[in-house]
Amino acid sequence: MTSVRAWRQRPHPVDDDGEDARILQSLGYTQQLHRRMGAFGNFSASLSVISIMSGTLLLFGYGLNTGGPAVIMWGWLAVGPLVLCLAAALAEITSRYPTSGGLYYMARQLGGERWSWYTGWLNLLGLLGGIAAQDYGIATFTAAWMNLQFDYTPTPGSLLALYAVILALHAVLNLFGTRLMNILTSVSAWWHLAGAVVIIGSLALVPSDHQSAGFVFSEFTNNTGWSAPVYVVLLGMLLPVFALAGYDTSAHLSEETNHASVAAARGIFRSVTVSWIAGGVLLVTLLFAIQDYAATLNSPTDVPVAQILLDALGMAAAKALLLVIIVAQFLCGYTVTASASRMIYAFARDGALPGSARWKKVSRRTAIPANAVWLAVVVAFVLALPSLYSSTAFSAVTAISVVGFTSAYAIPVLLRLLHRDRFSPGPWHLGRWSRPIGWVAVVWAGAVTVLFLLPQSSPITATTFNYTPVAVVVAFLIAALWRRFGRSAYHVPRSSSPAEDKQFEGII
């Protein structure tokens, strides 16, 4: 895909914020949020949400038990290009429709109200599941650091309490406005990249012993209870799919980004590209650095990454690097919360949520949808409540996020393929590669959505049950009921098609 004429890009026709406001007005909205985010800030936001030190490390233990090193590495290499196809196809549509609503707005323009309604609910489910997965993961890594520092042994109840504190901190930080967000997302991008370099360098250079390439690329471990290796391999794909999700953040922040028609599209594609490369290097380094595989799987910290750092680098270095990881994950969770709140704000602005009048309110002082921020963290807390009794709750929450995200990403792409006459490309587009890349993306997304609704562990009991289908069904029931009774309030503006918009002929 990188051979498409060196991914050329024509300059944006107007170099001022007024052009962004004009484009937004042509899409049916007036500017309410502050445009204080540049292209790097927008890219950094998606990079922070994808977070190579969050998604890749939060599910690392899951990967070791569900296929082991071989599935982690080959799965990462195989899934990356497929995610890039979906990201590129979505970026192309974002360039034409740069609004905070993102996916559901795109679906409205390309497919109609019904498609828009359910796309929005799926996207919201993915974002809320993403907050839950990220922040609960931060709680587990923080508990692991506390175990090394204070010999603290977490319980499900104490983890949930720690999770609640992290959610509250993210909500409070999100109330300070876009200026702080621009700073923190930029800091996050550099922190992630610099932190990954330090961890990779330490694990590559310090340990005297490393695993063989045969172990890293061929060791297969199955602790799922399922006897079919192919099924276990497919389940192992949850790690790379979850780790590379969340790039729609660039779209949700487009109303706060200058030159969003280009910057948001670039932010989507570039964040996935950088994360796939850097995340792959981080994963292979961790696998080579494993000193004792059995001890890693059964770590008293309950976090295999912490055990690898401890065995390979010693106590002091392990604690220091865990703090680097926790800060990176915290910045990731902050950005996911911002993205979800913007989605809630936009969806409520168009009348799609119960109590929309409350959730669409924007602070006059900070131009932040504060009520939407609090709603996001409260629902995320509820999604993690099964962790009190379920041993597979974390993987289920990540699966909820993946199912919501991936299906919502794919719907606008599918509609764009089916209704070619309804779409005029923006300044960032794929040219003749648009349709083949789009069809690959849609088929891939459909397969992933079905896969992660299936059971993850055997035998299936109350503690191992994958409650992802339950969460999806509940979300659809709420969406269907509210559509029946609250449909009259739902109104997504139809975009106009100014002549100048049709003149964009750039290619990525």
Side-chain angles (χ1 to χ4, degrees):
M1 197 157 57
T2 56
S3 63
V4 185
R5 295 158 113 189
W7 302 100
R8 291 187 292 109
Q9 167 61 48
R10 271 186 143 187
H12 197 277
V14 178
D15 192 26
D16 61 67
D17 292 351
E19 176 70 2
D20 286 305
R22 187 198 65 77
I23 292 174
L24 186 62
Q25 187 173 30
S26 77
L27 299 177
Y29 298 110
T30 56
Q31 186 73 46
Q32 287 185 291
L33 306 179
H34 292 165
R35 287 191 187 268
R36 292 174 175 166
M37 188 172 289
F40 184 76
N42 185 281
F43 156 77
S44 299
S46 278
L47 190 71
S48 297
V49 170
I50 296 173
S51 181
I52 58 175
M53 285 197 289
S54 188
T56 53
L57 303 187
L58 294 179
L59 282 180
F60 189 76
Y62 171 89
L64 290 179
N65 284 292
T66 312
V71 173
I72 290 176
M73 285 316 306
W74 291 112
W76 188 267
L77 293 172
V79 166
L82 296 169
V83 175
L84 275 170
C85 285
L86 186 54
L90 189 64
E92 179 179 48
I93 305 173
T94 299
S95 181
R96 177 63 181 87
Y97 304 119
T99 73
S100 294
L103 310 178
Y104 83 84
Y105 181 89
M106 302 172 195
R108 174 64 181 94
Q109 308 312 314
L110 299 171
E113 184 210 272
R114 186 187 297 270
W115 283 105
S116 172
W117 183 274
Y118 289 106
T119 300
W121 279 90
L122 283 169
N123 191 200
L124 189 56
L125 179 66
L127 285 163
L128 296 174
I131 296 175
Q134 295 291 350
D135 284 14
Y136 195 83
I138 297 168
T140 62
F141 269 70
T142 303
W145 182 86
M146 293 169 67
N147 177 269
L148 296 181
Q149 180 68 30
F150 306 113
D151 199 27
Y152 162 77
T153 301
T155 64
S158 64
L159 271 179
L160 192 67
L162 182 57
Y163 168 64
V165 171
I166 294 167
L167 284 172
L169 287 173
H170 282 151
V172 170
L173 284 173
N174 264 278
L175 301 181
F176 283 94
T178 307
R179 193 182 301 278
L180 177 63
M181 184 189 305
N182 197 28
I183 293 171
L184 289 182
T185 54
S186 298
V187 168
S188 178
W190 290 112
W191 186 277
H192 274 81
L193 295 176
V197 169
V198 171
I199 293 171
I200 290 166
S202 300
L203 291 176
L205 300 175
V206 174
S208 56
D209 295 316
H210 288 88
Q211 295 289 345
S212 66
F215 170 85
V216 172
F217 290 97
S218 63
E219 177 70 22
F220 181 81
T221 303
N222 177 15
N223 292 324
T224 65
W226 298 108
S227 58
V230 173
Y231 185 59
V232 175
V233 169
L234 292 175
L235 289 177
M237 297 301 104
L238 180 60
L239 189 160
V241 176
F242 173 72
L244 295 174
Y247 43 86
D248 61 314
T249 298
S250 288
H252 292 302
L253 297 177
S254 59
E255 290 183 34
E256 295 159 83
T257 303
N258 289 307
H259 314 313
S261 296
V262 174
R266 283 179 171 173
I268 289 173
F269 187 78
R270 290 176 176 176
S271 61
V272 176
T273 303
V274 172
S275 297
W276 180 49
I277 295 170
V281 176
L282 180 60
L283 284 174
V284 74
T285 306
L286 282 167
L287 292 172
F288 271 112
I290 293 175
Q291 303 296 300
D292 185 329
Y293 194 43
T296 299
L297 288 175
N298 300 290
S299 173
T301 67
D302 288 328
V303 175
V305 172
Q307 193 64 43
I308 293 173
L309 295 174
L310 181 62
D311 293 343
L313 305 175
M315 179 66 76
K319 289 189 291 187
L321 291 181
L322 268 179
L323 286 177
V324 170
I325 293 170
I326 290 167
V327 171
Q329 293 173 343
F330 187 84
L331 292 170
C332 168
Y334 162 81
T335 314
V336 177
T337 304
S339 181
S341 68
R342 298 318 187 270
M343 169 62 195
I344 291 171
Y345 154 76
F347 216 26
R349 177 177 62 182
D350 291 329
L353 297 177
S356 285
R358 177 182 296 273
W359 313 126
K360 72 179 181 180
K361 286 184 178 179
V362 175
S363 167
R364 291 184 179 179
R365 183 174 61 86
T366 62
I368 292 295
N371 292 338
V373 171
W374 287 111
L375 178 63
V377 298
V378 168
V379 176
F381 179 78
V382 172
L383 284 177
L385 286 177
S387 65
L388 290 172
Y389 63 84
S390 173
S391 61
T392 60
F394 182 70
S395 60
V397 169
T398 59
I400 289 171
S401 180
V402 166
V403 168
F405 272 137
T406 308
S407 54
Y409 293 168
I411 290 173
V413 178
L414 175 63
L415 294 173
R416 184 254 185 277
L417 293 169
L418 296 178
H419 305 294
R420 299 174 65 179
D421 58 317
R422 300 181 186 178
F423 183 76
S424 57
W428 195 106
H429 67 84
L430 297 167
R432 61 190 178 89
W433 292 95
S434 179
R435 290 185 65 78
I437 288 174
W439 281 115
V440 169
V442 167
V443 172
W444 154 249
V448 165
T449 299
V450 173
L451 175 62
F452 296 126
L453 293 173
L454 302 178
Q456 297 174 346
S457 300
S458 178
I460 302 173
T461 65
T463 59
T464 64
F465 178 69
N466 177 15
Y467 65 91
T468 303
V470 176
V472 173
V473 168
V474 169
F476 264 99
L477 285 175
I478 295 173
L481 286 172
W482 184 241
R483 188 170 189 273
R484 180 176 180 84
F485 297 108
R487 178 178 174 181
S488 60
Y490 186 55
H491 175 68
V492 180
R494 293 303 304 268
S495 69
S496 61
S497 299
E500 58 265 31
D501 287 348
K502 295 183 179 180
Q503 294 174 358
F504 290 139
E505 296 176 352
I507 199 164
I508 307 170

